[in-house]
Amino acid sequence: MQQNLTQQLQLIEHLAERTNKSSKIVLLVLDGLGGLPGPAGRTELETARTPNLDRLAQGGALGAHDPIAPGFTPGSGLAHLALFGYDPLHYDVGRGVLALFGARCFKKDVMRKGEVAARINFCTVEPRNGGLVVTDRRAGRIKDGPAADLVARLREEVKIPGVEFDIWHSKEHRAVLHLKGAGWSGALADTDPQATGVAPLPPAPLAEAAGDPAAQKTAAVVKQIIDRAQAVLRDCHPANFILTRGYDTFKEFPHLPEITGMRCAAIAAYPDYRGVARLIGMDVVPCAEDLVNRSLPADQRTEISIESEFDTLQRVWNDYDFFFVHIKKTDSFGEDGNFAKKVEVIEHIDELMPRLLALNPDVLCVTGDHSTPAAMKTHSFHAVPLLLSAELAMPDEQTSFGERACLKGGLGRLRGTDLLPLMMACAGRLAKHGA
Amino acid sequence: MQQNLTQQLQLIEHLAERTNKSSKIVLLVLDGLGGLPGPAGRTELETARTPNLDRLAQGGALGAHDPIAPGFTPGSGLAHLALFGYDPLHYDVGRGVLALFGARCFKKDVMRKGEVAARINFCTVEPRNGGLVVTDRRAGRIKDGPAADLVARLREEVKIPGVEFDIWHSKEHRAVLHLKGAGWSGALADTDPQATGVAPLPPAPLAEAAGDPAAQKTAAVVKQIIDRAQAVLRDCHPANFILTRGYDTFKEFPHLPEITGMRCAAIAAYPDYRGVARLIGMDVVPCAEDLVNRSLPADQRTEISIESEFDTLQRVWNDYDFFFVHIKKTDSFGEDGNFAKKVEVIEHIDELMPRLLALNPDVLCVTGDHSTPAAMKTHSFHAVPLLLSAELAMPDEQTSFGERACLKGGLGRLRGTDLLPLMMACAGRLAKHGA
């Protein structure tokens, strides 16, 4: 039995039909899908021409879900945990841990209990008034190639006697620090000042852990690592310094395949989404680009396309029961405030839907992890549109996939954590509870 | 104050208007009411011609409820507990206890804390290879008459020195075992192998209770009872052996009349539904058939009709405040996969509604305990249609009682446990909470 389960996950573990190896569930997450009306009065999703999704809406059931609860805006990690059935009011994961699981997503044992991870940003600093000030928190958004080379140099040249740690590249200017072994504390403040024109902050315990020896030791070691990295990066302008944030101690998560009895596959282009899937024990499946990129120098690697994600789904179709497919660009354009581009991405996904539908999944759930209205340029609290297509889903009277249709849909307004049992029930994977 | 109450039931106990002796609530449960669309695209309830229910829908409020939570399929016992306000995530009841309360539903003190009950099935066994194999797990679905006679013989002839126990007939091939006094454990595995052509299983503790002396003692006593029963039944083919299952220790349930201040009556034809009502302290009211059947030999007893249930309601109308009326046949035909017959039963109930409405209840709630779509031939997870008719119910725009109308209804999508406070509120039986 898995430890640290919510009551709902305990019930799912208890009722999961573990011998069912035939029905297939696809959870297609369009990151930040939900929007707000633009000048024409329609949202991004309502504006997009989506004949395939509309056909699914016609035969299936619509609804809207609150990832955490009405009014709360989730981060991506927590929002995905909710989609996988992990209540964000019970479970939490720090950015550092998420980033490390993302960077190491093809490994089996990424972290051990008690180890600490933190996000690293390459940044630009300048000497001023005898000290340093940050002039660019992202080192000119340095590309994957040069960033990976710098990480390799840091791994080679930054050594602290008696301390076991590692640094991994993540994406662009982002990397991750992994403090291995025991005796660490995650109660460290960010060294990223979250502003330019000011000095990087010195590594220090959080106020509430000021007297904690483990936090003091961790801060001292991190200081040595940053000092040594500064020396290595001295001539690497614009990436001539590192900022750290999101320190977190690793607490083991219960694993979704064990809870549900389903073989679970994650297909995602971005490290953090791979990370959250890996964290809960899903297999992260490499896409074609991953396989090619391995043998390419860092600066020639290509991005993973949606087409490639769908091809990957087809490639591993027989090996898994539950497929999490993540598409990032809906959120990216939402964050940019680019209404038209978000509409375009949605239309592009709709055009590709026949590839997915050709696999004939028993249950297809199309939704977002949260809303990212272009009008707000950020994650929002708005209920997320949800489409459930399955033979056992009660059809409602809605005929197109959009926020307003979803708010009138037959599934009503759900919590994010309701999706997992609903998908499993529609796939015949949850037994009856009780006498 | 009642012990072991959920927060919601504590609040109800705190706010219940105990001096209100005038308003009447009827909860009419059509077992397994919810369905799925048939070939014509309409569900059983949507297909049925129900002018009386539709008229109620027109003036009242519709909604849909999830007995446990979205995606979870409840057993009948748990589903009814939810309708009565007992959260199935907090309360549980085993089959054995439910069956015993059903068989003894007119008694005040059915079981004491720590006693154990289990279901008994009469079955057919044959000698094979020096052992026994089960050839019919239900002894040819032996009728009430002969089954009751066999139970009488077992009660007479099966005695274990120093052990106090009882056996009661339930319905057809079903009976129930009651281990009285203290020192028992409910952690026993079923002896019913759930298959034919194999041997009955020997009484044994569950794996997790293998070393528990109480479980070992219980298994040893049950073995003596079964051995002795085998000797008594030797020549009673097809009912020549007994299988047992659903062992459960009795934990006292908080009582609904004490929580709500309402005098509660249950009118139900089937033992298990009477059992769950008795378990939470409701009075089970005998129907005309019960009164007549008492003086008839077991094989001449008649089934309780819906007409008789409604007559009974009228008979005791002045003696109670809350009436639970249970109709089984909607579920039975759903389980048989008989769409047309399920439609017929719903139409028949609709024809009888004027009798109920003539009593002029202040609050009438018509719903199911769960869904049993004929298309699935089993309980399902689908939200259950709900009709609330009361002067204080906010009317919505729905004009007919059906699943899709309910999913658009003004009550929205509720949990099963929301019904009790809603019904009480509409009956003026819940005071304002807080300053």
Side-chain angles (χ1 to χ4, degrees), chain A residues 181-227:
Chain A
W184 304 112
S185 163
L188 245 58
D190 295 352
T191 67
D192 181 347
Q194 295 279 350
T196 53
V198 297
L201 301 169
L206 291 172
E208 64 264 30
D212 172 17
Q216 290 166 347
K217 176 196 141 186
T218 308
V221 166
V222 168
K223 184 174 182 332
Q224 290 181 63
I225 293 173
I226 293 176
D227 287 349

Side-chain angles (χ1 to χ4, degrees), chain A residues 26-45:
Chain A
V26 175
L27 171 63
L28 177 62
V29 177
L30 314 189
D31 203 295
L33 175 63
L36 280 171
R42 289 189 303 277
T43 68
E44 299 90 318
L45 179 57

Side-chain angles (χ1 to χ4, degrees), chain A residues 3 79 84 92 107 115 131 147 185 192 196 198 222 279 328 404:
Chain A
Q3 299 298 305
F84 300 139
D92 196 4
K107 298 289 165 191
E115 294 186 340
S185 163
D192 181 347
T196 53
V198 297
V222 168
L279 185 71
K328 175 67 180 167
R404 261 69 69 98

Side-chain angles (χ1 to χ4, degrees), chain B residues 63-77:
Chain B
H65 70 87
D66 293 292
I68 301 176
F72 292 101
T73 301
S76 288

Side-chain angles (χ1 to χ4, degrees), chain B residues 133-341:
Chain B
V133 298
V134 179
T135 56
D136 183 340
R137 286 177 55 240
R138 296 180 187 87
R141 287 196 183 271
I142 180 176
K143 296 280 175 231
D144 281 349
D149 291 343
L150 290 178
V151 167
R153 277 194 62 187
L154 292 178
R155 298 186 62 182
E156 190 69 27
E157 298 177 35
V158 179
K159 304 281 181 197
I160 314 287
V163 177
E164 206 192 343
F165 71 93
D166 223 329
I167 299 175
W168 300 93
H169 182 232
S170 176
K171 193 122 182 121
E172 296 167 346
H173 57 283
R174 302 177 198 91
V176 55
L177 171 66
H178 180 189
L179 300 174
K180 295 179 174 178
W184 304 113
S185 163
L188 245 59
D190 296 352
T191 66
D192 182 346
Q194 296 279 347
T196 53
V198 296
L201 300 171
L206 291 171
E208 64 263 30
D212 173 17
Q216 289 165 346
K217 176 196 142 184
T218 308
V221 167
V222 167
K223 184 174 181 331
Q224 291 181 62
I225 293 173
I226 292 176
D227 287 348
R228 193 74 198 91
Q230 183 183 5
V232 172
L233 300 173
R234 192 178 305 273
D235 301 319
C236 301
H237 192 279
N240 62 359
F241 199 73
I242 57 172
L243 301 173
T244 64
R245 63 196 166 108
Y247 284 88
D248 195 26
T249 317
F250 179 58
K251 295 170 290 286
E252 216 156 337
F253 269 68
H255 277 191
L256 193 65
E258 281 70 34
I259 296 168
T260 61
M262 300 192 289
R263 297 166 296 169
C264 299
I267 300 170
Y270 271 60
D272 278 9
Y273 308 96
R274 293 175 160 191
V276 68
R278 182 66 253 158
L279 185 72
I280 59 166
M282 297 176 74
D283 282 357
V284 177
V285 180
C287 293
E289 290 89 344
D290 285 302
L291 304 172
V292 174
N293 282 343
R294 277 180 201 171
S295 56
L296 287 180
D299 57 347
Q300 291 172 29
R301 290 173 188 164
T302 55
E303 285 222 348
I304 296 167
S305 66
I306 302 172
E307 287 83 344
S308 174
E309 292 189 74
F310 281 22
D311 287 346
T312 305
L313 179 66
Q314 183 175 3
R315 193 180 84 228
V316 297
W317 188 247
N318 293 324
D319 305 333
Y320 295 94
D321 308 302
F322 178 85
F323 302 86
F324 157 54
V325 183
H326 180 268
I327 295 172
K328 175 68 179 167
K329 288 218 167 347
T330 29
D331 179 62
S332 311
F333 288 122
E335 298 248 7
D336 292 345
N338 197 331
F339 190 100
K341 279 284 189 188

